[in-house]
Structures are given as C-alpha cells and as structure tokens.
Amino acid sequence: MIFKGILNGCASNIAAQAEELNGFIREHLLCQDHVGSTIVFYAKKEDKKALLGLVPTESVELVRVARYQPENILEALQTVENAEKPHLYLFPSGFAGSEIAVRWGFRLKGSSLVQVQQIECSGAQLIARKTVYANHVLATFKLTQMPYCIALAKGSADSQAITPRDNLTVTEHDLTDLQKEAFIKHSKWIPSETTQDLEAATFLIIGGRGMHTKENAQRLKKIADSLGADFGVSRPVAMRAWMPMHRMIGVSGAMTKPEICIVAGVSGAAAFYAGIEKSKTIVAINTDMRAPIIKAADVAVIDDYKAVMAELAKIVLN
C-alpha cells in the first residue's frame, strides 16, 4: 500500500504533529508492503531546514503556500498529486486535519474517516477504529473505496521522536501564487463593541426576552446610552444574538451590584437574579405581575416597558 502523511508546517504544533504521525506509521504501517512519503505545507522559507528534520518518511514533498487555508491546501494537493495515486492519506489530528481529510476524500471519490485511532490494511479494504458515543465505545469501520483519507485522533499513537535522516529524497513546489477562497464572496470589517465592565456599573438597564426582537434591544440600548446607563441583557437575549455575549448578566455572565438596576422584560429566573441581587435598588418593568422578578424588585411597574422607558427618558432628558 502506498501512503502519504500530510503535515501542516504553518502551525506552531508542527513538531507534535510529526511525532504523532511517526508513532502512527510505526504502529500500523511499518512493513515492506507499505511505501510512504510525506507532504509538508509551509509558508516561511526560513522554516524549511527545521521542517526537513521532522519528516517521518524517507521521501518528502515540501509545498510552499501563502497560508494554510483549506481552499489553498485542497488546490495545492490537486496540483502536486496529479501523477501519484496513493491508497491512503494520513492527516493530522485536530479540526484542520479533519476538514481537509473529509473534503479531499470527497474530491477523489474515496472514503474518509476522522479521529481514527487504529487501522488494519486487508486487501482492498481498510479497517479503521475510533471511539463513538462520547468515547464510551470503540467502533470498527470498513472502508472500501480508495483512496482512504483519514485524520488521526489526538493521542491515537505514542508520539515518537524523529531521528533526522541524511538520505532524504526531497521534492519542492512553490505554490504561493495559488490562492483560492471560494467560500468568501464579499467581505467587510465590522468593528466589534468595546468590552464593557458591567460588574463595575453604577447605573444599569437590562433587557430581557420580553423585548421580542433585536431591533427592540437596540432601541432600549440607545435609551440606556442617552440616560448614561450601562446596558446588559438576560441569557435568552444573548443566545439569540440580539446583543453581544459580553453584555449577558447572571451566573453565565456578569455579576453586578449597581446603585440602580432597571430590568425590562425579564422574567427573573434564579440564574439571572443572582447577577443583580446585590443591587441597591431594583426596578422591574413587566406586563406579567406574576413574574418572579416582580416579587424580588424594590419597585415594580406592571406595564409595557417601551412606554415606561420612553416616558422615563423624556422626564430625565428634558
């Protein structure tokens, strides 16, 4: 069987990748029937010498790319692999290796499997094992369509240090001009909000699920800004992406203790209330008089928060 290992030389953990791949090859592919080589992708010329000392096979292809981006790597593989037809590709563990393994297997109309711990080569089949069901069961998979593209599981083999070789067969490719970004059609930079230290807020206005829409959340924030208050939200609002996660109040977010805390459209679950219970004065605005926050508040207003907050802004700003 002809196999090829793939290494991401652009990553800071390249040495760990190489030792993991070396251990896997020694455990499962070190016999006369298997012929292997390694493809190393890298970006910086000055890294080339060090990378050659990390290759676990006697044959290596150094492929220089602009950066390790999935589309670039797939196109680079397509370019350098036109002649040779390996039966097996070994990709490193981790998200990047898993993504390339699956997409490369699809391109070649082969088989792919990720987080593989063990393999056995049996004729035209590859037997692979990996854990499933939250790592409680070791499952066996039979891959029948070559080439087999597998990504290793982290810790799948005992990492073995690599002894530098003097008899390396090296082939080099410069594909820095090859840049494919098919997933990106249009792009623009949107500046992110400056992180607020809500735990230090003295005047805090908090919006909850009762705001109903992202637009309403943005309107309430504008009112808070005009009143000189910091603005926070309950967990359901943050999880709906109506506001950034750093504005979340409660046990999963900021634990606050403002002088004044106005809570609008929040039911007041225990996990949320823990984030405001040290407030000096809590004002709750809600249409549901049975909401838990009403009982916990110092001042309760049973009304639509929009009307109440709009009137409050008029009084304060005029």
Coordinates of all heavy atoms in Angstrom, one line a residue, residues 235 238-239 243-249 253:
R235 N -29.8 36.0 29.6 CA -29.2 34.9 28.8 C -30.0 34.7 27.5 O -29.4 34.5 26.4 CB -29.1 33.7 29.6 CG -28.5 32.5 28.9 CD -28.4 31.2 29.7 NE -27.9 30.1 29.0 CZ -26.6 29.9 28.8 NH1 -25.7 30.7 29.2 NH2 -26.2 28.8 28.1
A238 N -28.9 37.2 24.8 CA -27.6 36.9 24.3 C -27.5 35.7 23.4 O -26.9 35.7 22.3 CB -26.6 36.8 25.4
M239 N -28.2 34.6 23.8 CA -28.2 33.4 23.0 C -28.9 33.6 21.6 O -28.7 32.8 20.7 CB -28.9 32.3 23.7 CG -28.2 31.9 25.0 SD -26.4 31.5 24.8 CE -26.6 29.9 23.9
M243 N -27.8 40.8 21.2 CA -26.8 41.6 21.8 C -25.5 40.7 22.0 O -25.7 39.5 22.1 CB -27.2 42.3 23.1 CG -28.0 43.5 23.0 SD -27.0 44.9 22.4 CE -28.3 45.9 21.6
P244 N -24.3 41.3 22.1 CA -23.1 40.5 22.3 C -23.1 39.8 23.6 O -23.7 40.2 24.6 CB -22.0 41.5 22.2 CG -22.6 42.7 21.5 CD -24.0 42.7 21.8
M245 N -22.4 38.7 23.6 CA -22.4 37.8 24.8 C -21.8 38.6 26.0 O -22.1 38.3 27.2 CB -21.5 36.6 24.5 CG -22.1 35.6 23.5 SD -23.7 34.8 24.1 CE -23.0 33.7 25.4
H246 N -20.9 39.5 25.8 CA -20.2 40.2 26.9 C -21.2 41.1 27.7 O -20.9 41.6 28.8 CB -19.0 41.0 26.5 CG -19.3 42.2 25.7 ND1 -19.1 42.3 24.3 CD2 -19.8 43.4 26.1 CE1 -19.4 43.5 23.9 NE2 -19.8 44.2 24.9
R247 N -22.4 41.2 27.2 CA -23.5 42.0 27.9 C -24.4 41.2 28.7 O -25.3 41.7 29.3 CB -24.3 42.8 26.9 CG -23.5 43.9 26.2 CD -24.4 44.9 25.4 NE -23.6 45.9 24.8 CZ -23.3 47.1 25.4 NH1 -23.7 47.2 26.7 NH2 -22.6 48.0 24.8
M248 N -24.1 39.9 28.8 CA -25.0 39.0 29.5 C -24.8 39.1 31.0 O -23.7 39.2 31.5 CB -24.8 37.5 29.1 CG -25.8 36.5 29.7 SD -25.7 34.9 28.8 CE -24.0 34.4 29.1
I249 N -26.0 39.1 31.7 CA -26.0 39.2 33.2 C -26.5 37.9 33.8 O -27.4 37.3 33.3 CB -27.0 40.4 33.6 CG1 -26.6 41.7 32.9 CG2 -27.0 40.5 35.1 CD1 -25.3 42.3 33.3
G253 N -22.8 35.1 33.1 CA -22.2 36.4 32.6 C -21.7 37.2 33.7 O -20.9 36.8 34.6

